[in-house]
Amino acid sequence: MNTCDALSISKETTLEALKKLFGFDTFRPHQEELVHGLLSGKDAFGVMPTGGGKSLCYQLPAAILPGTAVIVSPLIALMKDQVDSARSNGIKAAFLNSTLAPEEAQEIEASYVSGDLDLLYLAPERLSLSTTVDLLKKNAAGRPSFIAIDEAHCISEWGHDFRPDYLFTSRLKEIFPESPLAAFTATATELVAEDIENRLNLVSPVKIRASFDRKNLFYEVVSKRDASTQIVEFISQRPQQSGIIYRTSRKSVEETANMLVANGINAAPYHAGLPAEKRSTTQDAFIRDDITVMVATVAFGMGVDKADVRFVIHADLPKNIESYYQETGRAGRDGEPSHCLLLYSAGDLGKLRFFIDGMHEEEEKVRARQLLASMDAFASVPSCRKISLLNYFNESCETTNCGSCDYCAGSFESVDASRDAQIALSAIMRTNNRFGAIHICDIICGANTAKIRQFEHDKLKTYGVGKDKPKTHWRSVIDSLLAAKKLDLSQDKFPVPQMNDAGMEIMFGREKFQLAVDKRVVPEKAKHRAEEIECDTDFFHYLRDMRKEIADLEGVPPYVVFADRSLRAMAAYHPASNTDLLTIPGVGQNKLEKYGERFLVEIRDYLINHPELKALKPSGKKQAAPAIKKGLTETFRTTQEMLGKSMSPSDIASERGIGVSTVEGHISRLISEGETVNWQEFISAETDKLCRELFAEHGRQALKPTIEAANGKLTYGQAKIIAAVMDLE
Ligand code: ADP
Ligand code: ZN
């Protein structure tokens, strides 16, 4: 390839390829600059938040450019999913890592040499072998078309995820001077970004630092009262949505998971105390939608590339904003509206402080305390959550109302709290600025603690004057005064509130003080700014079930087949032809060929059974979604009737022109709804026995292990039916 060829690739060509391969009409912010950079032979450096769409930035140029691009990626476990996902878009991708048999590896090496691949994923330790470097020189161009380093922050010792293996990548410029080098990361700190650029020796790269504002994420913080009830209420408003709940301890992870299961929610625990195999099957089941809610410690998440996580709940206060932001970032990578809920309690703060006090290194302690203080301020001070997050990452925000956090959605009300502020300030002054907020609240509420007796604070004028209000109220008055700089924090080892001049103004009644009061009794259902396609929910779930079947058959995660957004668009616009399907976001040529017909048949079938559903116009005004119906719909009844005539699932399938697995899906649902079905007529006693034995061994939460162990003697549909029967036994 020469650079002139590359330069001549027009914007139209790239847009066409974007549509054909990925089914997208437009680029996400900054993707285009990075893609064009690589296409014109330049180095590139993209810092984009999780879900920003980094993979497309190298996959698209890899598909357009002649030869093969090499992608360095740290997680072997993820490579297969990445390759599956690229292949499902018609991109010729493969990986080389230690999980391959020697013959498989040889075959892939041969395809690289002959130029049959667009993309080759490599783990860094593989890349550093001299045999690999030699291999990469053996194709027609004598080098990769370009090299992209994913998760590039792993090269930096400043980062939170340094990997010595990555250091080798700093030699790539010297080994392959002709191959453009690209680096991608979601790290937010400037220090790490600079370090990456220097270590890789990037030559005047096209540099992009995308905004860390994830518009589709709604941030909400509510005070933690009864975490279990709050979690169950939150989840029951979102049936069948995938989500992650983070808890601090293994014990609370187990307890919450058990509690959810007892409430009929398909949840499972994940923490470092579980055997590695159990962790990997649970993670797999979550990615494949066999488990809906993952309850986990922070051990879970790195390398979980699930695009349709709809919510992340932090049921305990995180240690710092960096980890909190990264964990919430796992929601909504597909760009669809998603919710991040934090349950805040000052009690958690105490626990974390206690933990920090136990650290050995003094410097580490100081740093940990500062990080925790920022986290606490974020959670406890009512103000726009997005603005405080973005400011934390040194990014300014154009608006004062983000529209996608609880504060901006109007969860707080501003009330005059001048008198309460005076009480708090006076208690601080009368105790000579020497005590922490907790003790000050104790004084105001008239508590009888040893410390109060010791310092005779029960003799103060302010002692007990605020008994009529809870301590949490007084705490938030002090926090708000601090946030509004009407109080300072001392610089000691244990910082305490200090009176300042601005506070004096309030104290002497020359200025008023407003307090934001939380109006929510129960968490409000969020109003999202990012637009979600409105569609009939039953229809959407029907398409999701079908997607799940296809995904299971192909052994890929469901979102690799189609994203939620594509299914919503189908359920809303009712495509009836290939041309219609191509207008659906996320449907490119390859997916059309692969799944188009199946989806068109099912959509038609569903609509015949639901004549009341009307297609919405893609660009038209939003219409109200049809009312959600409960119970069994027509299509189930048709299957039931046919079963009544002793027809087998395959007869019914061919008669109705739908898949056998769809019919089996109907049957398992009929059984769960308590309908009588003579399933023994089409499932033999032998199959039933085998299935139950395998369930006993592998559990019933995920069907995949059972199906695999059955070695072709059991289908997903049959296993689903038997599981439904067993549920009722
Ligand atoms: P990252 O690696 O930055 O976390 P991904 O590459 O996994 O992000 O992309 C996140 C999601 O965004 C994927 O579901 C992907 O299909 C989707 N996506 C990427 N680019 C676009 C685009 N131009 N239009 C619509 N969706 C996109
Ligand atoms: Zn806001």
Side-chain angles (χ1 to χ4, degrees):
M1 182 205 78
N2 64 49
T3 337
C4 292
D5 280 343
L7 275 172
S8 68
I9 295 166
S10 69
K11 287 201 168 189
E12 289 70 37
T13 316
T14 355
L15 275 175
E16 247 168 57
L18 178 70
K19 179 75 187 160
K20 179 164 174 276
L21 296 170
F22 293 90
F24 300 139
D25 290 319
T26 50
F27 282 107
R28 288 249 180 97
H30 306 301
Q31 284 178 326
E32 194 167 15
E33 290 105 298
L34 290 163
V35 166
H36 278 284
L38 281 174
L39 287 177
S40 53
K42 291 199 185 122
D43 285 356
F45 186 19
V47 182
M48 291 162 116
T50 308
K54 288 183 282 296
S55 32
L56 186 142
C57 299
Y58 54 78
Q59 291 187 353
L60 187 62
I64 296 178
L65 289 172
T68 310
V70 164
I71 315 302
V72 182
S73 173
L75 293 163
I76 291 187
L78 264 191
M79 283 187 191
K80 188 176 172 310
D81 284 348
Q82 282 165 336
V83 165
D84 284 343
S85 172
R87 282 197 188 150
S88 79
N89 284 324
I91 296 169
K92 289 177 279 175
F95 60 81
L96 274 180
N97 65 31
S98 49
T99 65
L100 296 180
E103 314 82 66
E104 290 175 297
Q106 272 165 19
E107 208 173 292
I108 289 166
E109 289 172 12
S111 333
Y112 173 83
V113 174
S114 64
D116 270 350
L117 289 175
D118 294 321
L119 266 182
L120 178 64
Y121 282 90
L122 288 176
E125 63 273 17
R126 183 98 183 186
L127 178 67
S128 61
L129 302 176
S130 61
T131 45
T132 309
V133 172
D134 290 344
L135 167 77
L136 297 182
K137 292 180 175 166
K138 279 195 196 139
N139 63 1
R143 61 175 180 85
S145 59
F146 64 86
I147 303 173
I149 321 280
D150 205 4
E151 313 289 355
H153 56 276
C154 294
I155 199 181
S156 172
E157 288 167 74
W158 299 105
H160 58 285
D161 200 20
F162 171 62
R163 288 168 188 243
D165 282 335
Y166 256 68
L167 290 174
F168 179 79
T169 56
S170 62
R171 293 194 44 216
L172 288 170
K173 255 290 138 198
E174 165 202 331
I175 303 174
F176 296 106
E178 302 280 308
S179 296
L181 190 58
F184 296 95
T185 174
T187 193
T189 72
E190 306 263 0
L191 188 66
V192 177
E194 236 169 74
D195 200 26
I196 296 172
E197 203 182 329
N198 293 334
R199 283 181 187 249
L200 291 176
N201 305 305
L202 297 180
V203 181
S204 17
V206 175
K207 238 195 310 193
I208 293 297
R209 185 183 160 88
S211 164
F212 274 71
D213 182 8
R214 298 267 313 275
K215 293 209 163 32
N216 61 319
L217 298 190
F218 187 96
Y219 280 86
E220 178 175 31
V221 184
V222 294
S223 44
K224 177 150 94 174
R225 294 185 195 90
D226 166 10
S228 297
T229 312
Q230 287 173 298
I231 293 171
V232 171
E233 273 177 10
F234 180 91
I235 296 179
S236 43
Q237 286 170 16
R238 297 164 174 78
Q240 300 192 46
Q241 290 190 2
S242 287
I244 306 173
I245 302 176
Y246 283 109
R247 301 231 58 169
T248 333
S249 72
R250 294 175 187 183
K251 189 163 157 265
S252 52
V253 163
E254 297 277 351
E255 283 169 2
T256 304
N258 289 340
M259 181 278 295
L260 289 176
V261 171
N263 278 281
I265 294 162
N266 181 6
Y270 185 105
H271 55 73
L274 296 169
E277 202 186 294
K278 173 83 187 143
R279 269 182 285 157
S280 112
T281 48
T282 310
Q283 175 170 325
D284 220 40
F286 178 63
I287 291 179
R288 300 188 200 291
D289 283 353
D290 286 326
I291 286 171
T292 321
V293 177
M294 199 69 138
V295 189
T297 58
V298 291
F300 178 75
M302 174 68 178
V304 177
D305 199 358
K306 182 167 170 58
D308 60 352
V309 173
R310 290 278 74 86
F311 62 84
V312 170
I313 301 178
H314 282 84
D316 306 298
L317 189 68
K319 288 194 191 75
N320 56 57
I321 293 189
E322 281 90 345
S323 356
Y324 170 68
Y325 196 68
Q326 192 174 34
E327 283 144 22
T328 56
R330 294 187 180 125
R333 295 173 70 147
D334 56 5
E336 294 289 293
S338 307
H339 204 112
C340 308
L341 174 69
L342 168 62
L343 301 180
Y344 174 74
S345 103
D348 285 349
L349 189 66
K351 280 184 220 159
L352 289 171
R353 284 209 182 115
F354 183 75
F355 172 77
I356 292 174
D357 289 343
M359 288 178 167
H360 295 302
E361 294 265 334
E362 195 52 37
E363 232 173 87
E364 201 189 347
K365 257 191 221 182
V366 171
R367 173 103 186 110
R369 278 199 200 107
Q370 284 167 347
L371 292 175
L372 179 61
S374 306
M375 183 69 224
D376 182 48
F378 165 81
S380 63
V381 178
S383 68
C384 172
R385 314 287 178 191
K386 284 272 170 88
I387 294 180
S388 45
L389 284 173
L390 293 178
N391 286 348
Y392 185 81
F393 294 121
N394 295 323
E395 189 176 324
S396 57
C397 208
E398 299 134 29
T399 102
T400 49
N401 183 322
C402 78
S404 50
C405 79
D406 54 351
Y407 185 81
C408 295
S411 297
F412 293 86
E413 177 173 45
S414 185
V415 297
D416 179 53
S418 306
R419 209 187 103 72
D420 287 355
Q422 283 167 338
I423 292 175
L425 291 168
S426 138
I428 288 166
M429 222 168 66
R430 283 171 196 276
T431 51
N432 300 321
N433 301 310
R434 282 178 45 216
F435 294 88
I438 297 175
H439 184 70
I440 300 292
C441 293
D442 280 344
I443 296 174
I444 299 173
C445 293
N448 180 14
T449 67
K451 201 166 171 183
I452 284 190
R453 291 193 299 272
Q454 182 194 343
F455 290 97
E456 300 194 340
H457 284 163
D458 44 357
K459 308 238 158 59
L460 293 175
K461 254 181 103 178
T462 30
Y463 182 74
V465 295
K467 285 209 251 310
D468 55 326
K469 290 183 181 148
K471 252 183 229 170
T472 48
H473 166 76
W474 295 105
R475 178 69 204 232
S476 65
V477 170
I478 296 174
D479 285 344
S480 304
L481 285 166
L482 281 166
K485 308 243 171 345
K486 308 294 179 191
L487 274 176
D488 294 331
L489 262 192
S490 66
Q491 298 295 319
D492 313 326
K493 193 164 146 201
F494 298 103
V496 296
Q498 311 260 287
M499 193 64 174
N500 64 17
D501 291 347
M504 284 296 186
E505 295 298 297
I506 294 170
M507 175 91 174
F508 293 112
R510 290 191 288 265
E511 219 185 278
K512 295 223 163 290
F513 186 70
Q514 297 290 117
L515 183 69
V517 177
D518 199 331
K519 291 193 291 190
R520 292 160 295 183
V521 184
V522 287
E524 246 192 338
K525 208 168 172 198
K527 296 160 207 75
H528 295 290
R529 192 171 78 173
E531 263 186 48
E532 184 176 78
I533 299 172
E534 280 189 23
C535 66
D536 179 70
T537 317
D538 278 355
F539 195 3
F540 170 61
H541 284 145
Y542 180 82
L543 294 175
R544 266 179 71 108
D545 288 348
M546 195 175 82
R547 173 181 71 174
K548 170 86 181 103
E549 277 170 28
I550 297 175
D552 285 344
L553 280 176
E554 297 188 356
V556 297
Y559 63 81
V560 166
V561 177
F562 279 127
D564 278 2
R565 191 170 183 80
S566 309
L567 299 187
R568 279 188 188 282
M570 291 182 202
Y573 314 139
H574 305 180
S577 65
N578 283 352
T579 327
D580 289 353
L581 263 186
L582 281 173
T583 65
I584 299 287
V587 183
Q589 200 59 43
N590 197 59
K591 288 203 180 167
L592 178 75
E593 276 160 31
K594 230 168 143 184
Y595 310 118
E597 199 180 329
R598 168 102 199 252
F599 273 82
L600 285 176
V601 168
E602 295 278 354
I603 290 169
R604 193 197 57 202
D605 180 54
Y606 192 88
L607 291 172
I608 291 174
N609 289 318
H610 297 84
E612 75 283 4
L613 292 183
K614 296 277 171 282
L616 305 176
K617 288 257 177 303
S619 53
K621 279 248 164 282
K622 276 195 192 170
Q623 300 177 17
I628 300 166
K629 292 183 297 319
K630 292 273 172 273
L632 294 167
T633 45
E634 192 64 29
T635 181
F636 293 96
R637 295 289 177 209
T638 312
T639 296
Q640 192 179 19
E641 249 169 54
M642 293 172 127
L643 284 171
K645 293 177 194 153
S646 283
M647 288 172 77
S648 71
S650 56
D651 291 344
I652 299 175
S654 52
E655 171 92 18
R656 299 186 59 191
I658 57 180
V660 179
S661 52
T662 309
V663 176
E664 288 172 333
H666 291 171
I667 298 173
S668 66
R669 172 81 193 277
L670 285 164
I671 295 172
S672 330
E673 295 282 333
E675 302 287 331
T676 318
V677 175
N678 283 331
W679 55 275
Q680 290 94 338
E681 284 182 13
F682 46 84
I683 295 181
S684 70
E686 208 183 348
T687 310
D688 181 35
K689 182 162 170 277
L690 171 75
C691 184
R692 285 170 193 255
E693 278 166 10
L694 292 174
F695 275 155
E697 193 176 327
H698 301 282
R700 244 189 296 157
Q701 214 148 33
L703 297 182
K704 196 168 172 241
T706 290
I707 303 298
E708 278 175 359
N711 228 338
K713 293 199 187 99
L714 185 69
T715 67
Y716 268 97
Q718 290 169 333
K720 258 195 204 166
I721 294 175
I722 295 168
V725 172
M726 288 171 76
D727 278 341
L728 294 179
E729 284 171 356

